[in-house]
Amino acid sequence: MRAIIIAAGRGRRLMPTTENAPKCFAEIRGKRILDWTLEALRAGGVDDFCFIGGYRMEAVEREYPYFTFRRNNDWENNNILVSLMCAEDLMDRPFVTSYSDILFTGDVVSGLVQSPDDIALGMDTDWRTHYKPRTQHPPHDAEKAIMKNGRVVRVQREISYDDATGEFIGVAKFSRRGGELLREHYHRRRVECWDKPYRGVPLFQKAYLIHLFQDMIEQGVEMGHADTHGQYREIDTQEDLDLAQKGWGL
């Protein structure tokens, strides 16, 4: 099983930690976020790693030479969705995608890898607890989801706080067919929407991964899920970093 780690952006809200290093090098309890990520992915059965870099990518190339690398040369002008597709040549077999600024465990990776669904999304079902102390990252910015009967039926920030049954944690699994579906839908929308508004963002190239997921769901693509109940943290601000230092991995 291959992992594709999406890590091109700078992470400006985590300054000054990211002034001279990629965001995934920020340390939680003496260990880089990237190393926590690798630990969880390996525990879930992943043994091959692709790293999509941009900002300060050379530091990762130097210290993780066993990675396969893909470069997002235009990282300052695009976002997670376009960044992920810098590695579409590696989507010819089952793979897991992961954001690079999150903490999660091997259990949810195992659940995703073992899922029979072509596409399965990792979900935190205790997401409200995670957001209570986050004064700089309010719940309206969460990548909220609604799950019913084993399927993700909606994944959008616009879902109301009360209706959401989980938050997408940034980790997803694709079978070979799931990867084909992802690429097919991406390229269709890219042709139609490049340099144009797309699902609430001013330009298609600024889209998040969940924008395409929701688009695919509306087009009839089924997505399963694997859940964690609170074993997940997003590190977006210095406050998030401080909160994780106090409790993650204990």
Side-chain angles (χ1 to χ4, degrees):
M1 179 66 68
R2 170 176 289 153
I4 300 176
I5 302 169
I6 312 164
R10 181 171 183 173
R12 292 185 181 277
R13 288 198 280 187
L14 202 57
M15 288 285 283
T17 301
T18 57
E19 184 172 0
N20 296 304
K23 189 177 184 182
C24 60
F25 272 27
E27 292 191 359
I28 308 292
R29 299 181 55 236
K31 186 187 299 186
R32 291 172 179 161
I33 296 174
L34 181 55
D35 290 326
W36 285 108
T37 297
L38 295 176
E39 182 178 290
L41 289 169
R42 287 187 176 113
V46 176
D47 58 6
D48 183 14
F49 304 97
C50 169
F51 186 94
I52 301 170
Y55 177 71
R56 301 291 185 183
M57 179 179 171
E58 65 281 355
V60 185
E61 291 175 311
R62 181 175 61 252
E63 299 200 32
Y64 298 83
Y66 58 90
F67 285 175
T68 299
F69 287 94
R70 292 295 181 268
R71 183 180 294 274
N72 179 352
N73 289 314
D74 200 29
W75 61 270
E76 292 183 277
N77 298 307
N78 57 42
N79 208 338
I80 294 171
L81 176 58
V82 173
S83 195
L84 171 61
M85 302 311 291
C86 291
E88 68 172 302
D89 63 308
L90 300 177
M91 298 178 184
D92 58 345
R93 71 187 209 200
F95 62 96
V96 172
T97 61
S98 175
Y99 298 167
S100 64
D101 60 350
I102 56 175
L103 301 170
F104 54 99
T105 67
D107 289 344
V108 72
V109 181
S110 295
L112 290 169
V113 169
Q114 295 167 16
S115 169
D117 295 299
D118 286 321
I119 302 175
L121 311 185
M123 294 290 175
D124 180 18
T125 55
D126 193 34
W127 70 280
R128 292 181 181 86
T129 300
H130 172 42
Y131 271 84
K132 284 180 180 177
R134 299 181 76 191
T135 63
Q136 298 174 18
H137 193 114
H140 68 74
D141 202 32
E143 296 192 327
K144 297 182 287 295
I146 297 175
M147 295 93 77
K148 291 181 180 179
N149 301 320
R151 291 287 177 263
V152 180
V153 298
R154 192 177 169 200
V155 55
Q156 289 178 299
R157 286 188 172 87
E158 292 78 10
I159 296 171
S160 74
Y161 181 89
D162 292 330
D163 289 342
T165 57
E167 179 187 16
F168 175 53
I169 69 170
V171 184
K173 183 224 62 172
F174 299 82
S175 69
R176 186 187 297 270
R177 176 56 181 157
E180 291 174 355
L181 288 167
L182 178 72
R183 285 173 286 170
E184 288 171 7
H185 284 263
Y186 171 79
H187 284 291
R188 185 181 308 135
R189 293 301 187 229
R190 190 183 192 281
V191 169
E192 296 170 349
C193 302
W194 193 262
D195 280 333
K196 299 175 183 177
Y198 176 69
R199 305 193 71 88
V201 293
L203 297 173
F204 176 83
Q205 44 267 56
K206 290 292 189 179
Y208 288 84
L209 188 52
I210 60 168
H211 288 124
L212 188 65
F213 284 164
Q214 179 61 28
D215 194 344
M216 293 170 69
I217 290 169
E218 292 172 11
Q219 297 301 312
V221 176
E222 292 190 345
M223 297 188 186
H225 58 94
D227 301 340
T228 181
H229 192 67
Q231 293 298 302
Y232 158 71
R233 294 291 183 274
E234 178 187 17
I235 310 300
D236 192 53
T237 65
Q238 187 62 49
E239 179 184 58
D240 292 334
L241 194 65
D242 294 340
L243 288 167
Q245 299 284 13
K246 297 175 183 176
W248 181 256
L250 297 177

